[in-house]
Amino acid sequence: MSLYEFVHTKIVPPVFVIFFTLAAQLLTFTGRNEPITLSSLLKYSLGNTQAWIILFMYILWVLLFLKIPSKTITGPALPSGFEPKYAANGVLFFWSTLAVFGGMFLSRPDWALAIYTMTPELFGATSITALLFCVWLLLKGKLFPEEAPEDGAATTGTLIFDFYRGVELVPTFCGVSVKQLVISRFGCMAWLLLSLVYFIATVQLHGLSYPIVVSALILVMLYILKFYHYESTGYYDSLDICFDRAGYYLIWGSLVWMPGFFTLHAYNYVANPPRASPLFSLFCLILGSGAIALTYRIDYEKYLVRSSPSLNISLHGKPAEVILAEYTDQKGEKRTSRLVASGFWGMARHFNYTAEMVVDITFSAPGYSSGTIIPFLLPPFLIILILHRLYRDERKCKEKYGKYWELYCSKVPYRLIPWVF
Ligand SMILES: NC(=O)C1=CN([C@@H]2O[C@H](COP(=O)(O)OP(=O)(O)OC[C@H]3O[C@@H](n4cnc5c(N)ncnc54)[C@H](OP(=O)(O)O)[C@@H]3O)[C@@H](O)[C@H]2O)C=CC1
Ligand SMILES: CC(C)CCC[C@@H](C)[C@H]1CC[C@H]2C3=CC=C4C[C@@H](O)CC[C@]4(C)[C@H]3CC[C@]12C
């Protein structure tokens, strides 16, 4: 075993599991200027009755929504030929959840402050649930996997690595896709709902004199709405679904880290309202909305080229340049895919990630005036996450397409920023 493999499989997983699980809990104290003590850590980590009830109701809502008869999205087939199915009701879920929960918070504004106050208990309960769920996914993957042996439900012999990375690719729970349930429904919507809760709590405590909290809320709403539009056109072809397994990284990450860390600046605003000027707020809103629209457009250009029956497509007013990339699938069959080499995919190989980074910066940029370090945490985390993802994706594409990927790289030499990197 090389040193890299040793660190990757035996050191990183336990260190990350301990670090992130603890950090998620501790940040709920730091985010509201509360000192960290061992007794409060133990108390909050177990949750309280109200927190468990809220969590249970929310899980039920998310689960039942996936059971509503609707059109389905068919994900890429596994080597066994199994085609995972996903409910195509993301936009309806977005508006219905916003109407029900938003209405609830607006009619009983005191609930927002109550939820803000019990945030540490809420994350304690969610983290316990998420960890237990990951243990169940590990046991299920090892003892009674749903996926056929040729789909490669991968156990490595290193238990902690299997727990961290996951075993199965597209497992189900109560008849619905675990990844859809956890990432796109629980995680993304919890991100928006908590942003709403913290927004109401900030306004209640400090009034609307801090326009930046409005711009932060609008940006998150736009981002999540965009996600639900993208869910039915591209998300189920993404790295999270086709490559990453259902383990701690993705599942605990989406149940706890995504709603907790991604809303941390908004949580922080309740105790430390940012003092950014209305002009700066407007600037962040315009820049962030533009970058969100750009990520949508870039994802859409790929969807357009790949879903079009002919190659007669125009991008940015010119005929699209497309590489017909041959590859051999996991069953050994020859296939052809389309790599777009013009439009935004001709400017840089991951221009969507560049736009994503701009969005990330505008999410918390206003908080730089709040006088705490909290708003500075999200951008570096996301930039590292995206860079790590970029290299993993390039490795995957190079292995899959070989010389065709190299051809694409020679036509589009930049990864993120044209003429720079
Ligand atoms: N906010 C956040 O934390 C994050 C957000 N995101 C967002 O999630 C979405 C999905 O991201 P992700 O799956 O990582 O990445 P992409 O949407 O960039 O998809 C990458 C895949 O697209 C295909 N591809 C690569 N180059 C081309 C090309 N030139 N033409 C056509 N197809 C190409 C390859 O798959 P194939 O095998 O099909 O050819 C590649 O694996 C994006 O909108 C991204 O911005 C992503 C990461 C983090
Ligand atoms: C070590 C862990 C705690 C790291 C956890 C990472 C996860 C929180 C994130 C991993 C992949 C992320 C996402 C991928 C693609 C997305 C599409 C985008 O349009 C919305 C956001 C997201 C779902 C994003 C969310 C965080 C991750 C799941």
Side-chain angles (χ1 to χ4, degrees), residues 16 20 164 183 188 191 223 226-227 230 235 238 240 244 248-250 252-254 257-258 262 356 381-382 385 389:
F16 274 32
F20 282 99
Y164 176 78
I183 311 173
C188 284
W191 176 357
Y223 185 80
K226 181 226 87 168
F227 172 78
Y230 160 67
Y235 187 59
S238 77
D240 301 339
D244 289 341
Y248 176 91
Y249 174 83
L250 211 53
W252 182 93
S254 301
W257 194 253
M258 176 165 34
F262 290 39
E356 196 76 47
F381 170 80
L382 280 169
L385 181 95
R389 201 173 167 99

Side-chain angles (χ1 to χ4, degrees), residues 54-81:
I54 292 173
L55 177 66
F56 177 75
M57 301 288 279
Y58 180 56
I59 294 177
L60 205 64
W61 167 261
V62 170
L63 190 61
L64 289 180
F65 220 96
L66 285 177
K67 295 277 186 187
I68 293 177
S70 61
K71 279 195 198 160
T72 54
I73 306 160
T74 303
L78 299 186
S80 62

Side-chain angles (χ1 to χ4, degrees), residues 33-50:
N33 312 335
E34 195 176 314
I36 298 169
T37 62
L38 190 62
S39 67
S40 51
L41 177 63
L42 292 174
K43 190 181 111 208
Y44 290 143
S45 304
L46 297 175
N48 61 15
T49 316
Q50 277 172 314

